[in-house]
Amino acid sequence: VTTRGALVTANAGGTDFALTYDSGTQTWVSTAGASIPAGVGPRDVTLKWEVRSGTAGGLTCSNGGSNPCKGSFGVLQRVMSAQVARSGPIQLAGLDTTTATNANSFPQGSTQSLIVRIGVGGSLGNAASVSDPIVTLRVTGGGSQNQTVDCDPNQSNIRDEIANGCTALYKKNLGTTCPASVSTLWASAQPWDCIAIQTGAATGQVRQGLQDRLQGGSTSCVNANKWSQFPNLAPSDPRLVPLLLTPFNTFQGSGSSTVPVTGLGTFYITGYDGSPCSGDDAAGGGNIVGHFVKYVNGFADDTTTGTDPCVFGAFDPCYAQMTE
């Protein structure tokens, strides 16, 4: 093989990696391996070949740019670099044998005993300490559905809904089928157990809405990040915001629709895209960062009723009510 000046090159995610011929095993190998950037999603792996001397297929091979003796075996493998939009909670996926880790290929016709390893991120939960990892809420996406919902038909845009809160009443969906259209949902009686998906990019409105809600519309830092005081957060802190939860993978389609409300949560915002507060955690474009917290609404809330006792270890917020 080497006397023909043969070359084999792997291409992974658009980057070439030269392979070396091992005469002992009669295989082409890469000693350095192919590195794929983090968070780029699926990437094809192809193999290109070239013979630089002699003849191949009736063609005269040469060591030059016009060498006709070259081609590609096409896509032989695909790798996945995890990204939130495609991978969700899956942080690791590997295929092993009883004797090897991350086995990527096997001889055709062979029989193998395989072990599949799947690693997932932690489940949704409230913060346990001030040093808990930051949670990122994304308000961007790859299609017309960009991680946002339209919670209030009486407010004209997302900016106003974030700044003022939603006046509509919601409850957890316990298995009810959601209406086929947003107009049908909004025409039904409240509290709603489904919510409308907001379409279109809204990163600017999210930034503006948070600026209105947290800083009173000022471009200066009015309400600083007080996460260092956790769990003694003031109930009046505007960075404590209620959230409506929807099923995982909700925002993968296009167009307007409705989805179930799977739960309620309370989030403390420690940073957001465009924040003027120097003590805020860094947030990428269109992102909000912070921590979920357990929140118990005070006695001043006299509009919410229920019979279930508060479970302080559970994720959902509670509402304090006088009893006798």
Side-chain angles (χ1 to χ4, degrees):
V1 175
T2 54
T3 59
R4 299 285 304 277
L7 297 176
V8 176
T9 304
N11 183 285
T15 303
D16 285 342
F17 299 89
L19 305 184
T20 303
Y21 183 69
D22 187 328
S23 58
T25 60
Q26 296 186 340
T27 57
W28 291 86
V29 297
S30 171
T31 55
S35 176
I36 304 296
V40 296
R43 288 295 183 267
D44 292 335
V45 178
T46 62
L47 279 181
K48 299 183 292 185
W49 60 270
E50 182 175 357
V51 178
R52 293 188 168 184
S53 63
T55 60
L59 301 173
T60 300
C61 307
S62 64
N63 186 11
S66 59
N67 180 21
C69 304
K70 57 185 176 182
S72 173
F73 294 111
V75 177
L76 301 180
Q77 190 178 2
R78 209 178 195 207
V79 296
M80 180 70 180
S81 176
Q83 56 182 191
V84 174
R86 294 290 299 270
S87 308
I90 299 176
Q91 303 294 308
L92 176 147
L95 191 64
D96 304 339
T97 67
T98 55
T99 58
T101 301
N102 291 328
N104 294 314
S105 62
F106 306 99
Q108 186 175 4
S110 65
T111 300
Q112 305 289 334
S113 296
L114 302 180
I115 301 170
V116 178
R117 292 180 296 118
I118 300 292
V120 297
S123 59
L124 191 65
N126 294 315
S129 72
V130 71
S131 60
D132 270 21
I134 291 173
V135 176
T136 299
L137 305 180
R138 299 189 312 124
V139 291
T140 57
S144 69
Q145 297 179 356
N146 289 288
Q147 319 298 321
T148 52
V149 295
D150 188 353
C151 63
D152 193 338
N154 295 319
Q155 303 204 57
S156 60
N157 54 46
I158 295 176
R159 175 179 181 171
D160 291 341
E161 290 180 344
I162 293 176
N164 306 321
C166 296
T167 58
L169 299 178
Y170 288 89
K171 64 180 180 179
K172 185 182 295 187
N173 189 301
L174 301 179
T176 303
T177 301
C178 289
S181 69
V182 174
S183 57
T184 302
L185 170 67
W186 287 349
S188 64
Q190 298 182 26
W192 296 324
D193 57 5
C194 296
I195 194 167
I197 291 179
Q198 175 70 49
T199 58
T203 55
Q205 288 195 44
V206 170
R207 185 186 308 113
Q208 295 161 357
L210 287 172
Q211 200 73 359
D212 293 341
R213 185 184 186 100
L214 304 187
Q215 316 303 345
S218 172
T219 56
S220 302
C221 182
V222 176
N223 288 292
N225 176 13
K226 298 182 177 63
W227 179 250
S228 61
Q229 300 176 15
F230 175 82
N232 300 313
L233 301 172
S236 59
D237 192 330
R239 288 175 176 259
L240 279 169
V241 296
L243 294 181
L244 296 170
L245 308 181
T246 61
F248 177 76
N249 244 13
T250 288
F251 307 98
Q252 296 298 308
S254 60
S256 178
S257 62
T258 66
V259 292
V261 175
T262 58
L264 307 174
T266 303
F267 195 77
Y268 189 86
I269 300 173
T270 62
Y272 61 95
D273 177 29
S275 172
C277 298
S278 59
D280 273 13
D281 292 318
N287 289 341
I288 304 169
V289 298
H291 305 268
F292 282 102
V293 296
K294 184 68 175 184
Y295 186 77
V296 179
N297 289 273
F299 293 111
D301 177 15
D302 58 358
T303 64
T304 304
T305 60
T307 58
D308 295 332
C310 180
V311 180
F312 289 96
F315 181 80
D316 295 312
C318 296
Y319 293 85
Q321 296 288 331
M322 294 295 291
T323 60
E324 61 178 3

